[in-house]
Amino acid sequence: MTSVPYSDAIVSPAARAKPRADVSPRRDRIVGALFVAPLVVALIVTTLYPTLFLIALATSKSTLGKPFRKFVGTDQIVATLTDGNFQIAVAKSIAFAFASATAEVAVGFFVALAFVTLLKLGRTLLVIALLPLMTPPVMVAVAWKLILAPAGGLLNGVLMKAGIIDAPLSFLATPFLAWLSIGVADLWQWVPFVAILSFAALLSLPDGVQEAAMVDGASPLQRLRHITLPLVAAPLASIFLLKLIIGFKLFDLVYVLTFGGPGFATTTATFGIWRLALEQFDVGNAAAQTLVYAIVIGIVTIPVVRLHRFASENQP
């Protein structure tokens, strides 16, 4: 008696009569293309088209009412590169972005450490701490403008009542104090964002490593330096990069608190571009500045991206 293979035995007669054909590579490619198509369309609409439109504006004389009036090639881009005011504004934006990102990641990380220590209350405190992040940036700026006001402002009132100052300070009319005020408002708004990301990173750490270090007699500072920080270096680098990019786009606080002043002391690149486009209606030059600023941001963030890659590849 001839034995029948098991695989043949369980196949129905109809299936044996007409074996199912393998899925053709062509149909696989079509199905794959259909899955990828929405992403490609989204990238074209949200990235490629705006970029091409921006380049077209930057290489033409354009106003709000009459875009693409005349092709000027790279004239506006070259003029932007040699514009001293724009260079200063870009330098201020970069300095502010790095300073604010460094301060906020440091403060946010230690706030997250405190929340982890108070783990039972940490999640509740974190929700409360998120309130500034939920506030619209314009309202944050308005609130801080009222706090810093020379006449009737909360801060001046507290300082005078404590005897620290004799007369109200005009925080937003002095270049250094104006930048400091913007920095404090930005810190107040974004520290909760950094804290919640750092909190999530700290909760993902293995408990066994910390417990073993405690058994070995490591102090809290030693555990922080040799265990916690190396383990969260990659997430912290990601948070720093994210906050850095947010810092490059600083606009709302400058617009409401100082309007770029006193003089042009707090005029950042983004605020200068806004004034050029919507006050002077020189959309072509504004587009050229935007293009140059985007390239500068890309160059400046390269070391941070490499730092993040190094931290990810060398994570214990």
Side-chain angles (χ1 to χ4, degrees), residues 55-62 68-73 76 284-285:
I55 294 173
L57 287 174
T59 55
S60 64
K61 281 289 180 187
S62 299
F68 314 120
R69 292 171 58 190
K70 179 184 176 184
F71 179 73
V72 295
Q76 293 179 139
N285 269 316

Side-chain angles (χ1 to χ4, degrees), residues 29-294:
R29 287 197 296 271
I30 293 174
V31 173
L34 289 175
F35 276 108
V36 175
L39 177 62
V40 173
V41 172
L43 286 175
I44 291 173
V45 172
T46 61
T47 304
L48 184 60
Y49 173 72
T51 303
L52 293 177
F53 194 80
L54 182 68
I55 294 173
L57 287 174
T59 55
S60 64
K61 281 289 180 187
S62 299
T63 63
L64 279 180
K66 295 182 179 178
F68 314 120
R69 292 171 58 190
K70 179 184 176 184
F71 179 73
V72 295
T74 59
D75 290 354
Q76 293 179 139
I77 297 174
V78 173
T80 295
L81 292 173
T82 57
D83 186 345
N85 291 330
F86 178 70
Q87 293 171 0
I88 294 172
V90 170
K92 290 176 184 174
S93 298
I94 293 173
F96 177 85
F98 273 93
S100 63
T102 303
E104 289 161 18
V105 168
V107 175
F109 176 70
F110 283 104
V111 170
L113 274 178
F115 286 168
V116 170
T117 306
L118 304 169
L119 190 56
K120 290 183 179 178
L121 294 174
R123 297 179 192 281
T124 305
L125 293 174
L126 202 59
V127 173
I128 297 173
L130 282 175
L131 288 177
L133 190 61
M134 298 174 186
T135 308
V138 173
M139 287 310 300
V140 172
V142 170
W144 276 96
K145 193 165 189 175
L146 295 174
I147 292 172
L148 300 169
L154 175 65
L155 185 57
N156 270 311
V158 171
L159 293 176
M160 290 180 67
K161 197 169 184 178
I164 298 174
I165 59 175
D166 297 327
L169 292 175
S170 187
F171 290 100
L172 303 177
T174 308
F176 174 73
L177 291 179
W179 271 117
L180 188 62
S181 302
I182 293 171
V184 170
D186 194 75
L187 188 82
W188 181 81
Q189 184 181 13
W190 288 107
V191 160
F193 172 73
V194 175
I196 190 171
L197 296 181
S198 301
F199 185 73
L202 288 171
L203 287 185
S204 67
L205 298 183
D207 295 332
V209 179
Q210 294 280 357
E211 292 169 358
M214 291 173 68
V215 171
D216 290 340
S219 66
L221 187 60
Q222 289 174 323
R223 294 202 301 274
L224 173 65
R225 181 182 174 186
H226 298 292
I227 297 176
T228 304
L229 282 178
L231 288 174
V232 298
L236 283 183
S238 300
I239 298 168
F240 182 81
L241 179 61
L242 186 58
K243 182 60 197 68
L244 191 64
I245 294 171
I246 294 172
F248 284 132
K249 299 190 296 180
L250 175 69
F251 176 79
D252 310 78
L253 294 176
V254 172
Y255 180 87
V256 178
L257 284 177
T258 63
F259 206 72
F264 293 95
T266 58
T267 296
T268 58
T270 50
F271 186 73
I273 291 169
W274 174 83
R275 295 190 79 163
L276 196 59
L278 298 180
E279 281 193 342
Q280 304 173 23
F281 305 115
D282 191 351
V283 176
N285 269 316
Q289 290 192 1
T290 304
L291 193 62
V292 172
Y293 187 49

